[in-house]
Amino acid sequence: MQSLGQNEGSLSCPQGCCPTLLFNPPPPQSQNTTTKPRNSSAECRHSFVATTSSYIFPNTKFTNHESLPSLHESFGEFKKVYPQYSETDQVDHLRAKEYYHLSFSNQSCLDYIGIGLFSYYQRQHHHDTSKTQLASSSTPLSPPQYSDIPFFSISYKTGNLKTLLLHGGQESEFESAMKRRIMKFLNISENDYFMVFTANRTSAFKLVADSYPFQSSKKLLTVYDYESEAVEAMICCSEKRGAKAMSAEFSWSRLRIQSTKLRKMIVSKKKKKKKRGLFVFPLHSRVTGARYPYLWMSIAQENGWHVLIDACALGPKDMDSFGLSLFQPDFLICSFYKVFGENPSGFGCLFVKKSAITTLESSSCAGIVNLVPDRFLRQSSEDKCSSGNCKQKPLSSLQDQDLSSLNSFSGRIQTSEALKVEEESCELQIMVAAAEPEKGSGSVEAKEVVESLQNKKAEHGENGGFNIECRCLDQVDSLGLTMITNRTRYLINWLVNSMMKLKHPNAAGEPLVKIYGPKVKFDRGPALAFNVFDWKGEKVEPVLVQKLADRNNISLSYGFLHHIWFADKYSEDKGKVLQTKEGRGRGLTTNKKKDRDKLGVTVVTAALSFLANFEDVYKLWTFVARFLDADFVEKERWRYTALNQKTIEV
């Protein structure tokens, strides 16, 4: 059997980002030394770690937030260590042009998980155009152009997932176009996979749990170092249907997978190839940034497991390096939001391998949705009100913690209604034009409308439907995998290294920040889990850190790490750090599995998008450094009390 370590190492350098090509470390003696080319991916990763640790604030510790170097000075040193960061300037130009709201609001958004669909500029242009059309009441409304409708709401529908997958269902051309665009972006073939829109990430997981044959394939094995609302919902639903739920464990404090234990759970002792169950595998942790060897998927498949890949935490172009055709998971789940930093609402996507459809059981499932363009919603509402029937419910919202988004609902508007809007709009224009002969152009205008509709039908029918401009997806495609990966790699590792330089000014020099999961690492993900500790060694509650960060225009999240395994040498840590998610039971240890599963560590989390820049990570670093002031929290309390704002309870 292959070695996990070898496989993990081989995943890094195919992207063409060997660190010997990325840095030009500044020591004088290196100028007279000929550097030999690095061929080993292990040497590349080692060089990256050594350079980051040696040249970012070398032999320095910061004990006072006022002593931190300025943004300009820090950025200058950053570019010396990572000179190829300047080759990602295209991202900064894109951010300034298409996402200028981030600069205007001075907001650092470090809490977005998923993939963006549209740009802020596109959203504003669409909004301004809609206002102009509404204001021009004397001008007949033009037929809705799908390419002009980037925004939408979701409409719930109940049904049978297996029936939908086998026989298809009614969908608008807008939905068909959106499916084609997403599958093209993710490099997923329509010949191999069927795609279903879901309300959010949690809904996608529950759909699989409701339909998977747990009566015959009883086991559910998950690999998550943090508590996920979606996964917990899947486990709850699966256990009700007879599943035996199991989880991988993670070693304290780097939170690496306990390989021996996981292998025992996966590998079958029986020679029969009976399907053992469902193996749910995230390609990396969205909380700690830990990446997991893809070899686990192969081991699971070789031992008779169906495999579900959770791709929600992937970077926007990481699917390019995944090798979907090689692993061919039975299920894949990802999520999309509308506009980064402005509109986190969106939807989930469930991809089902066509050869796996027959293994599913028929059951009535909730969570499948239709996408309804906003213009159809407005048109439908106006039509109902004009006929004296204004009973349509207002749009409401529901928060899904795992997707970190608010999803809007369309009051159960039927897709069949939406499909009729375009032709009805065109018929209305023809009637209006024909009814105004005094203008001398009624027949001409009617003829133009008819010809326009006929041309559109012919064009879109022959070319496979409407095209939707998802400008954010287009921009990510243009930037490419290497640029995006390199940029976030430099930023997240600078942030990790800089956080570890913050020390309390007492004699012991206790660290201000504790980082969970990988530290400085070449192939870590762009996410970070940490906690802040005061000079007494007491943890500052993550919720408090998040609230204070929000008041400093930094958006963070918090999570709960669990399934942690402690070696004997960490038995003292185990008694100190484990507690319930609500903060109770610190120091509690138990031998009961159900009780152990409820214990873990609450943490602050930050995630970098492809639009993150150096100012974002510097801003977070300087904010955290303010906790070096023992009175920082108390000062914040009094400052907001003086401003007649709601105080933070400590």
Side-chain angles (χ1 to χ4, degrees):
M1 191 168 288
Q2 293 170 276
S3 165
L4 290 174
Q6 291 173 353
N7 181 269
E8 186 175 21
S10 66
L11 299 175
S12 301
C13 283
Q15 300 171 5
C17 29
C18 180
T20 54
L21 302 177
L22 299 179
F23 323 102
N24 184 17
Q29 61 269 25
S30 65
Q31 297 176 0
N32 299 323
T33 304
T34 303
T35 303
K36 295 181 180 181
R38 302 274 190 178
N39 296 319
S40 166
S41 61
E43 288 182 344
C44 289
R45 299 197 312 276
H46 177 75
S47 175
F48 180 92
V49 173
T51 304
T52 299
S53 303
S54 300
Y55 297 109
I56 295 177
F57 308 128
N59 303 315
T60 305
K61 65 177 182 179
F62 298 100
T63 59
N64 187 330
H65 71 279
E66 294 180 348
S67 67
L68 300 184
S70 67
L71 171 62
H72 179 75
E73 182 182 353
S74 298
F75 189 44
E77 293 300 315
F78 172 82
K79 289 191 292 184
K80 287 180 182 178
V81 178
Y82 306 118
Q84 286 201 357
Y85 180 82
S86 60
E87 295 182 5
T88 70
D89 286 348
Q90 186 178 346
V91 179
D92 296 309
H93 299 320
L94 181 68
R95 173 172 168 146
K97 180 181 178 182
E98 297 277 341
Y99 303 89
Y100 47 86
H101 63 298
L102 299 175
S103 298
F104 290 165
S105 64
N106 192 31
Q107 186 75 21
S108 293
C109 300
L110 305 178
D111 59 343
Y112 272 68
I113 299 296
I115 303 171
L117 292 169
F118 315 112
S119 73
Y120 181 78
Y121 173 85
Q122 183 181 10
R123 181 231 181 276
Q124 288 300 99
H125 177 72
H126 168 70
H127 179 68
D128 294 342
T129 302
S130 299
K131 286 176 62 178
T132 302
Q133 289 182 347
L134 289 173
S136 304
S137 56
S138 60
T139 304
L141 290 173
S142 60
Q145 303 287 332
Y146 283 90
S147 59
D148 294 337
I149 311 176
F151 297 99
F152 54 86
S153 293
I154 61 175
S155 172
Y156 273 100
K157 62 179 182 182
T158 57
N160 187 305
L161 176 62
K162 185 174 182 178
T163 301
L164 175 64
L165 295 174
L166 286 174
H167 306 292
Q170 185 181 35
E171 64 180 21
S172 67
E173 294 188 30
F174 175 83
E175 290 177 298
S176 298
M178 184 66 80
K179 282 186 178 181
R180 288 194 303 273
R181 183 65 187 95
I182 288 175
M183 295 186 83
K184 179 182 177 183
F185 178 79
L186 296 174
N187 292 323
I188 297 177
S189 171
E190 292 185 59
N191 296 327
D192 300 324
Y193 287 86
F194 195 98
M195 174 180 165
V196 177
F197 289 113
T198 66
N200 46 48
R201 179 174 178 250
T202 298
S203 297
F205 275 84
K206 287 189 69 177
L207 278 172
V208 177
D210 285 333
S211 304
Y212 189 78
F214 285 113
Q215 292 297 325
S216 56
S217 304
K218 291 187 175 295
K219 294 183 178 180
L220 173 66
L221 177 54
T222 59
V223 187
Y224 287 82
D225 60 7
Y226 66 96
E227 184 176 277
S228 162
E229 180 182 335
V231 177
E232 293 301 312
M234 170 180 255
I235 292 173
C236 180
C237 180
S238 300
E239 288 181 333
K240 289 179 180 178
R241 300 185 63 243
K244 177 185 177 182
M246 305 179 295
S247 173
E249 293 186 349
F250 303 85
S251 301
W252 179 262
S253 64
R254 294 295 182 99
L255 299 184
R256 296 189 179 101
I257 291 176
Q258 269 282 301
S259 301
T260 303
K261 291 185 177 182
L262 181 57
R263 190 185 296 273
K264 286 182 179 179
M265 287 189 279
I266 293 177
V267 176
S268 174
K269 296 180 181 179
K270 299 179 181 179
K271 294 183 178 180
K272 294 182 180 180
K273 293 186 177 180
K274 181 181 178 182
K275 287 296 181 183
R276 304 196 67 205
L278 184 62
F279 179 62
V280 183
F281 185 72
L283 297 179
H284 78 250
S285 170
R286 56 152 287 194
V287 171
T288 64
R291 293 189 185 273
Y292 305 129
Y294 293 177
L295 184 60
W296 287 117
M297 290 181 285
S298 297
I299 296 175
Q301 289 171 332
E302 290 169 2
N303 285 273
W305 293 79
H306 288 107
V307 174
L308 185 156
I309 295 302
D310 179 1
C312 294
L314 287 183
K317 288 299 289 179
D318 283 355
M319 282 295 290
D320 284 5
S321 64
F322 170 53
L324 186 68
S325 60
L326 176 64
F327 295 104
Q328 295 186 337
D330 301 283
F331 310 95
L332 187 143
I333 294 173
C334 62
S335 58
F336 291 83
Y337 56 81
K338 291 179 182 175
V339 181
F340 179 78
E342 196 269 343
N343 190 339
S345 65
F347 53 81
C349 293
L350 169 63
F351 297 91
V352 181
K353 190 179 178 182
K354 291 186 176 180
S355 61
I357 294 175
T358 55
T359 65
L360 299 178
E361 295 179 347
S362 296
S363 63
S364 180
C365 303
I368 303 173
V369 299
N370 289 122
L371 304 187
V372 185
D374 284 348
R375 188 177 297 181
F376 286 157
L377 296 178
R378 291 195 300 270
Q379 180 72 42
S380 179
S381 177
E382 290 169 3
D383 290 346
K384 288 184 179 181
C385 287
S386 63
S387 62
N389 182 15
C390 293
K391 295 182 180 180
Q392 183 183 352
K393 297 179 181 180
L395 299 183
S396 60
S397 61
L398 174 68
Q399 185 170 9
D400 176 26
Q401 190 174 18
D402 280 311
L403 190 58
S404 300
S405 69
L406 297 174
N407 282 311
S408 55
F409 301 89
S410 65
R412 297 189 180 276
I413 295 175
Q414 298 301 314
T415 307
S416 56
E417 286 186 284
L419 290 172
K420 297 177 183 177
V421 172
E422 180 168 10
E423 290 188 15
E424 290 176 353
S425 179
C426 290
E427 291 173 2
L428 177 62
Q429 289 187 70
I430 294 172
M431 293 170 62
V432 170
E436 297 180 347
E438 67 274 10
K439 292 186 179 180
S441 60
S443 60
V444 175
E445 290 183 9
K447 183 178 179 181
E448 288 177 349
V449 173
V450 172
E451 289 179 350
S452 173
L453 181 58
Q454 289 176 341
N455 290 338
K456 273 177 52 183
K457 284 185 175 181
E459 175 186 350
H460 297 309
E462 293 172 4
N463 297 330
F466 293 88
N467 292 318
I468 297 176
E469 182 185 19
C470 296
R471 190 169 292 192
C472 186
L473 299 186
D474 295 340
Q475 292 158 355
V476 168
D477 279 335
S478 176
L479 294 172
L481 173 66
T482 301
M483 182 184 297
I484 293 173
T485 303
N486 286 348
R487 183 181 176 93
T488 55
R489 175 180 291 124
Y490 305 147
L491 293 173
I492 192 66
N493 280 286
W494 181 92
L495 178 61
V496 169
N497 189 79
S498 300
M499 286 281 208
M500 294 190 296
K501 299 290 184 179
L502 302 175
K503 308 284 185 180
H504 281 290
N506 51 23
E510 293 293 330
L512 174 69
V513 175
K514 168 71 176 178
I515 294 174
Y516 307 89
K519 307 295 191 294
V520 175
K521 192 174 183 181
F522 177 73
D523 53 358
R524 64 164 295 136
L528 176 66
F530 68 95
N531 272 319
V532 177
F533 292 83
D534 63 21
W535 64 276
K536 297 178 182 178
E538 294 294 324
K539 183 172 78 174
V540 181
E541 285 305 314
V543 176
L544 175 58
V545 176
Q546 184 201 34
K547 289 181 178 180
L548 290 174
D550 188 60
R551 291 177 172 178
N552 285 269
N553 293 330
I554 303 171
S555 300
L556 299 173
S557 300
Y558 58 91
F560 185 67
L561 302 176
H562 64 171
H563 300 309
I564 303 172
W565 179 84
F566 291 82
D568 291 339
K569 63 180 179 179
Y570 294 120
S571 58
E572 186 177 344
D573 287 350
K574 182 178 182 179
K576 291 180 179 179
V577 304
L578 289 182
Q579 61 185 101
T580 64
K581 187 168 59 174
E582 295 77 20
R584 298 189 297 269
R586 184 174 297 174
L588 175 66
T589 58
T590 177
N591 292 322
K592 294 182 179 180
K593 182 179 182 302
K594 286 188 177 181
D595 292 335
R596 288 202 311 268
D597 289 346
K598 295 179 181 179
L599 297 178
V601 182
T602 53
V603 294
V604 185
T605 68
L608 305 187
S609 77
F610 80 99
L611 290 167
N613 61 13
F614 182 78
E615 185 174 355
D616 289 329
V617 294
Y618 176 83
K619 190 173 173 183
L620 174 58
W621 182 52
T622 54
F623 162 73
V624 171
R626 295 178 66 185
F627 286 89
L628 289 170
D629 181 353
D631 298 324
F632 170 61
V633 174
E634 198 64 28
K635 289 177 181 177
E636 287 293 298
R637 182 206 297 273
W638 285 109
R639 186 163 73 91
Y640 282 93
T641 301
L643 294 173
N644 294 320
Q645 298 191 22
K646 185 178 179 180
T647 60
I648 299 174
E649 295 299 329
V650 183

